[in-house]
């Protein structure tokens, strides 16, 4: 579209103000669209409703990122659980990172909840009344892992596989079950554990 110099003199101050407002305002809830009418006037909206105007995306909304949860917030609980159940604190931390990424409100597709993703069937066994409580989750998860670790005579990969897929699956295959999720889980925990050991 050809715009006269006269129109440009009117448009650019307004456009500059709009652009500044859009760039300095808090993130909008949608993309910003623009169209230029027959008089060369720019129109902006986040909800284009008229089909006769050719709106084009002017500012693309940035996807919101989930804030990362602190990886050190629960260190004191992890240390207490490590001392109580004799499980390396760095290993517990690696399990928590793999299970929930330190999100105490995490819920899996299978209904496991909390930092250590305890399934409801184990709440009573582990004295858990609130799976979202960091202390209950970490203490319960550490206790459960210790029992599994002793069951598999200190074989870490088997113990981690059992924590993820259940002891029944490990007993059936006599090794890490050939489930992609479980194999990746074991590798992930071991990687995190190695990282924490070498900090």
């Amino acid at each position: 579209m050809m715009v006269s110099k006269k129109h440009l003199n009117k448009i650019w101050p307004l456009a500059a103000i709009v652009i500044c407002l859009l760039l300095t305002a808090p993130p909008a809830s949608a993309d910003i669209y623009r169209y230029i009418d027959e008089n060369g006037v720019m129109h902006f909206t986040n909800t284009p409703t008229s089909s006769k105007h050719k709106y084009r995306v002017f500012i693309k909304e940035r996807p919101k990122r989930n804030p990362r949860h602190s990886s050190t917030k629960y260190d004191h609980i992890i240390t207490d659980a490590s001392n109580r159940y004799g499980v390396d604190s760095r290993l517990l931390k690696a399990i928590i990172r793999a299970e929930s990424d330190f999100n105490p409100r995490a819920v899996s597709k299978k209904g496991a909840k909390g930092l250590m993703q305890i399934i409801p069937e184990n709440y009573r066994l582990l004295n858990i009344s609130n799976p979202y409580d960091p202390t209950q989750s970490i203490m319960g998860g550490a206790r459960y892992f210790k029992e599994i670790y002793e069951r598999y005579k200190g074989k870490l990969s088997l113990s981690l596989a059992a924590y993820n897929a259940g002891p029944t699956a490990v007993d059936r295959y006599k090794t890490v079950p050939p489930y992609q999720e479980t194999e990746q889980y074991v590798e992930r925990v071991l990687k995190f554990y190695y990282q924490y050991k070498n900090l």
Side-chain angles (χ1 to χ4, degrees):
M1 173 184 280
M2 294 296 293
V3 180
S4 69
K5 188 173 181 180
K6 181 179 178 182
H7 278 130
L8 280 174
N9 290 336
K10 291 180 179 178
I11 293 169
W12 286 116
L14 174 62
I17 291 171
V18 172
I19 291 169
C20 288
L21 287 173
L22 290 172
L23 294 177
T24 58
S29 59
D31 298 336
I32 302 298
Y33 297 83
R34 177 193 76 171
Y35 91 92
I36 302 174
D37 67 19
E38 62 275 5
N39 296 316
V41 177
M42 294 182 190
H43 299 266
F44 299 88
T45 181
N46 64 343
T47 54
T49 55
S50 174
S51 59
K52 69 177 183 178
H53 301 305
K54 293 184 179 179
Y55 283 98
R56 296 181 183 276
V57 175
F58 183 67
I59 296 178
K60 188 77 175 171
E61 180 184 23
R62 292 181 180 177
K64 296 178 180 177
R65 295 181 180 179
N66 292 325
R68 277 188 61 83
H69 295 272
S70 172
S71 62
T72 58
K73 184 175 182 179
Y74 308 107
D75 282 359
H76 63 292
I77 305 173
I78 293 171
T79 299
D80 290 346
S82 173
N83 293 334
R84 180 178 297 185
Y85 296 107
V87 179
D88 190 333
S89 62
R90 297 164 298 185
L91 177 58
L92 289 177
K93 193 165 184 174
I95 293 171
I96 293 170
R97 183 174 172 186
E99 289 286 351
S100 65
D101 199 20
F102 303 100
N103 177 7
R105 304 296 299 179
V107 180
S108 76
K109 294 177 182 177
K110 297 179 181 177
K113 299 175 181 178
L115 289 169
M116 294 197 73
Q117 293 290 276
I118 310 296
I119 58 173
E121 292 78 15
N122 286 334
Y123 293 168
R124 187 173 179 182
L125 172 70
L126 302 173
N127 297 320
I128 293 175
S129 59
N130 178 7
Y132 300 118
D133 177 79
T135 300
Q136 290 187 38
S137 183
I138 294 172
M139 288 296 179
R143 175 182 166 188
Y144 181 60
F145 183 80
K146 177 66 173 183
E147 292 174 1
I148 292 173
Y149 191 70
E150 291 179 344
R151 175 173 178 164
Y152 294 105
K153 304 184 188 313
K155 295 177 180 176
L156 186 52
S157 292
L158 291 185
S159 303
L160 292 170
Y163 192 92
N164 176 261
T168 302
V170 174
D171 292 345
R172 182 188 308 137
Y173 290 99
K174 308 297 183 189
T175 186
V176 175
Y179 309 150
Q180 183 178 8
E181 177 190 335
T182 301
E183 291 173 342
Q184 291 177 346
Y185 172 82
V186 172
E187 290 178 7
R188 197 161 64 250
V189 174
L190 291 176
K191 181 184 75 173
F192 295 152
Y193 183 35
Y194 178 81
Q195 290 174 352
Y196 289 134
K197 286 175 73 174
N198 288 278
L199 286 178

